[in-house]
Every structure is written in C-alpha cells, then in structure tokens.
C-alpha cells in the first residue's frame, strides 16, 4: 500500500461523514497517473502554489492602490489569510484540509491588477464581460502552463468558481472558503483602513462592535467560533442568524466608509482609464502580446477580446503601469 493510499484510508477514520474524501473525487478533466505520496487535493494545492498566477498575487492590489508602506495587504496576503482561517475551521469540523487549502489558495488567481477597479475596467469594455471568479477558473483550466491549464480536480474548480457571495459550492470545504473570504477581507480591510487614517475603531457601528468584537483578534475569534459551532455535525456550513446579520451589516458599513470612500479610491479612476486604454491598444494590435496569448487565438480559437483580457488580468499593478508608460508616455517625459 502506498503512502497516498494509507492517507486515503486514514481519512475514513478521522473525517466527518460530510467531508470530501480524496478517493471519492470526481476527478480531473484529463486522467493522469496517481502520485504514490500525495492525494489528489494535495497535488492540486501544490500546483496552485507553484503556478505563475499565484506568484503574481504578491504585486496585485487588495483595496489600497500602491499604498505607501509595507504593511498593507496585497492579493497574496489576503489569499494566505483566507487559507489560514479556512484551514482552522476545516480542521475543527474534521473536513478535508487539503481540499480547503487548494480552494483558498486558488480562489483569486484571476484577479486583475488594481483589485475590483481593474475588474470593473475590463467588464465595461469587453463584450464578453469579465468577472474575477470566472477568470480564476479560466486560469487553472486554460491559461497556466502555456494553454494546458493545471488540470485540477472538479471539487477545487467548483470551490474557486463559487467562492463569491452569490456562489453555492457543492462541497463543505468550498462553503468554508466562501465564508472565510468575507471574514478575512472585512477584518483585514478594517485594519488597513485604520492604518491609512481613513477609519478609527470608534467609527465602527456600536452594535457591530458589541456583537462581533472591538479588535481584529476578537472579531476573527467570534466569527470563526460561530461558524464552527453552527456547522459541527451538519451537512452544510452556516453561521448563526445573529452573527450573519452582524457581519452583513459590518460589510455594508465597509462599503460605505472604505470601499466607496473617495479618499481610499482617489486613484481608481486613473487605474480604470489606464487598463481600458491597454485593452483598446492590444485589441487593435494583438500581435504585440506575448506569443503564448497569440497562440490561444491562433491554435485554440479563443476570441481575441477574451485573450486581451487574459493578458491584462494577468498583469501586476506595476507591470501594467510600466506597459502603459512604454506605450503612451513620450520617452522624454519618463523619469
């Protein structure tokens, strides 16, 4: 019996009956030999971590566009925080931690430079529309490995696609990530907004502070415990009605005070215009994109407009600025 097979047997001894067992995965789009050491979900997690798209997350905006200071979250640190929270809950509920981790690490691979501003920019100009959760799946199914994709299991791709608020993941592990995405970004965005001087702890509604907590540590502790306590022994992941309402109210407060705050978003209009100019340029001159993107059109028949979005969405914040400068700013003006 291989190490992988021993691990799969052990899952039946320790996992909840509602967990996703590695041996029972729906599998991959392309069959491939099993690893003798790692389960299918361990392999998926490893493939995501070693992907180019994952590495680029470290230079992509979370909320604050190229902030001054080293302690603001990026898309990478957000992803790691979601992973940490999700693994904690999955372990407490005896779910499959490897599947949970793979979904968490891959859930934002398709995010654009400049966060949701970039997503909005591409969605406005691309006739096919653009949504980061769909793009994340496109990354792992097609864009990575020169058009071959990562060939991940169905369960990981389902969790990535359905991590948004309106999503409905089919596994409990995916449902855990869906909750942890919101728990993570609400709390770390409060922390970043306080660091930026946009928000003070006393600005947070009193009812939210009373129900969830008045520090990041207390809020995370309360929300995680609530998910665990309301999901233990259940065939779905849930929060108490009181805590879910409180978190929804806190999220609404963050939209009003931070996500739509002119001070926090003062540069967003510039970012949107810049990415849309890049889109128009490469749409007119697709031959200027790297060869791997031209191959998607020529060899795989992918629509030009979608491939242009693929290229721009894959850019980091700084790379997109550099390309814009090269293309549209006279060289004598560049400093």
């Amino acid at each position: 019996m291989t190490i992988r097979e021993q691990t799969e047997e052990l899952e039946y001894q320790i996992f909840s009956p509602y967990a996703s067992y590695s041996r029972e995965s729906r599998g991959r789009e392309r069959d491939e030999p099993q690893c003798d050491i790692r389960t299918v979900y361990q392999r998926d997690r490893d493939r995501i971590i070693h992907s180019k798209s994952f590495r680029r997350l470290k230079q992509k905006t979370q909320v604050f566009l190229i902030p001054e200071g080293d302690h603001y979250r990026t898309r990478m640190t957000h992803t790691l925080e979601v992973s940490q929270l999700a693994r904690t809950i999955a372990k407490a509920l005896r779910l499959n931690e490897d599947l949970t981790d793979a979904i968490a690490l891959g859930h934002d691979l398709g995010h654009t430079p400049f966060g949701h501003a970039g997503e909005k920019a591409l969605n406005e100009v691309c006739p096919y529309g653009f949504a980061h959760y769909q793009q994340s799946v496109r990354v792992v199914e097609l864009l990575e490995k020169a058009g071959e994709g990562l060939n991940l299991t169905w369960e990981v791709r389902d969790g990535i696609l359905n991590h948004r608020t309106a999503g409905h993941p089919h596994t409990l592990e995916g449902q855990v990530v869906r909750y942890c995405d919101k728990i993570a970004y609400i709390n770390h965005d409060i922390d970043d907004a306080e660091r930026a001087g946009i928000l003070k702890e006393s600005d947070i509604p009193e009812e939210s502070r009373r129900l969830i907590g008045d520090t990041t540590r207390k809020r995370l502790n309360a929300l995680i415990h609530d998910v665990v306590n309301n999901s233990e022994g259940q065939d779905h992941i849930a929060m108490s009605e009181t805590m879910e309402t409180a978190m929804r109210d806190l999220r609404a407060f963050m939209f009003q005070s931070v996500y739509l705050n002119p001070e926090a978003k003062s540069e967003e209009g510039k970012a949107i215009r810049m990415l849309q100019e890049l889109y128009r340029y490469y749409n007119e001159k697709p031959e200027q994109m790297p060869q791997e993107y031209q191959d998607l059109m020529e060899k795989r028949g992918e629509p030009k407009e979608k491939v242009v979005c693929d290229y721009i969405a894959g850019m980091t914040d700084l790379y997109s600025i550099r390309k814009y400068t090269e293309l549209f700013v006279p060289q004598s003006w560049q400093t």
Side-chain angles (χ1 to χ4, degrees):
M1 182 180 289
T2 66
I3 293 174
R4 170 184 54 79
E5 290 170 331
Q6 293 176 39
T7 301
E8 291 172 344
E9 286 294 324
L10 189 61
E11 290 180 357
Y12 288 102
Q13 299 176 36
I14 63 176
F15 279 5
S16 159
Y18 304 114
S20 299
Y21 297 95
S22 300
R23 189 174 290 171
E24 298 175 14
S25 168
R26 295 195 193 184
R28 309 179 187 280
E29 288 191 329
R30 301 187 302 276
D31 289 336
E32 55 185 63
Q34 290 268 36
C35 176
D36 61 340
I37 294 177
R38 297 169 297 164
T39 67
V40 290
Y41 300 136
Q42 286 178 287
R43 294 183 79 185
D44 283 359
R45 179 198 60 206
D46 294 350
R47 290 177 185 186
I48 290 169
I49 289 176
H50 288 284
S51 69
K52 293 186 295 183
S53 301
F54 183 78
R55 293 195 294 274
R56 289 196 297 264
L57 295 177
K58 66 183 179 181
Q59 292 183 352
K60 291 194 176 190
T61 289
Q62 176 63 25
V63 171
F64 295 90
L65 274 61
I66 314 183
E68 295 183 6
D70 296 331
H71 300 138
Y72 290 88
R73 270 71 169 193
T74 64
R75 192 62 58 179
M76 171 74 82
T77 55
H78 162 72
T79 294
L80 296 177
E81 290 184 32
V82 173
S83 171
Q84 180 266 317
L85 297 177
R87 287 184 69 104
T88 297
I89 293 175
K91 191 176 188 70
L93 296 176
R94 293 182 295 121
L95 301 178
N96 194 315
E97 287 184 61
D98 294 322
L99 171 57
T100 305
D101 204 22
I103 296 170
L105 292 172
H107 82 280
D108 270 354
L109 290 179
H111 244 301
T112 59
F114 307 111
H116 289 286
E119 183 175 20
K120 177 182 178 183
L122 295 183
N123 187 52
E124 287 178 350
V125 293
C126 180
Y128 295 94
F130 185 92
H132 80 275
Y133 57 89
Q134 295 172 341
Q135 188 70 10
S136 294
V137 175
R138 185 170 167 84
V139 166
V140 301
E141 289 186 343
L142 176 67
L143 300 181
E144 277 291 333
K145 298 183 70 174
E148 294 300 317
L150 300 179
N151 198 29
L152 304 182
T153 56
W154 180 89
E155 291 78 7
V156 173
R157 289 180 284 125
D158 171 77
I160 291 173
L161 179 65
N162 288 292
H163 77 271
R164 68 198 189 282
T165 300
H168 300 283
H170 289 78
T171 66
L172 267 65
E173 290 81 0
Q175 293 175 33
V176 167
V177 173
R178 177 178 169 273
Y179 269 110
C180 287
D181 183 35
K182 289 189 285 293
I183 291 172
Y185 76 64
I186 289 171
N187 282 283
H188 65 51
D189 291 349
I190 290 174
D191 186 43
D192 280 355
E194 290 177 353
R195 180 172 291 107
I198 292 172
L199 199 65
K200 300 189 297 293
E201 188 67 40
S202 58
D203 294 330
I204 298 173
E206 183 177 349
E207 184 71 359
S208 295
R209 286 186 285 136
R210 183 182 68 82
L211 290 172
I212 308 179
D214 57 5
T215 67
T216 298
R217 183 184 65 81
K218 290 179 181 178
R219 282 189 287 268
L220 291 174
N221 190 60
L223 291 167
I224 291 170
H225 274 80
D226 190 82
V227 172
V228 171
N229 292 337
N230 286 277
S231 305
E232 192 169 10
Q234 303 296 317
D235 63 354
H236 62 283
I237 304 300
M239 298 180 77
S240 66
E241 185 176 346
T242 298
M243 196 64 80
E244 183 131 31
T245 299
M247 188 171 74
R248 191 181 306 120
D249 291 344
L250 185 55
R251 182 171 179 266
F253 165 78
M254 288 297 291
F255 265 93
Q256 178 182 355
S257 302
V258 178
Y259 303 142
L260 302 179
N261 184 303
E263 187 173 351
K265 298 299 182 182
S266 59
E267 300 293 292
E268 266 198 5
K270 298 176 185 178
I272 289 172
R273 288 191 293 274
M274 182 180 70
L275 294 184
Q276 290 180 344
E277 281 296 315
L278 288 173
Y279 174 86
R280 284 186 279 268
Y281 176 85
Y282 288 112
N283 204 46
E284 293 176 1
K285 300 181 179 180
E287 71 279 2
Q288 296 298 315
M289 292 190 295
Q291 188 61 48
E292 63 183 284
Y293 293 96
Q294 297 181 51
D295 288 345
L296 288 173
M297 295 181 290
E298 297 166 4
K299 297 180 180 180
R300 293 182 175 268
E302 289 291 320
K304 177 182 64 176
E305 296 85 354
K306 288 184 73 71
V307 175
V308 172
C309 282
D310 293 334
Y311 180 42
I312 294 174
M315 294 179 177
T316 63
D317 295 10
L318 294 177
Y319 183 77
S320 66
I321 293 172
R322 186 160 69 246
K323 294 306 294 184
Y324 181 87
T325 302
E326 290 175 5
L327 295 171
F328 299 110
V329 178
Q331 190 169 8
S332 61
W333 295 2
Q334 299 176 25
T335 57

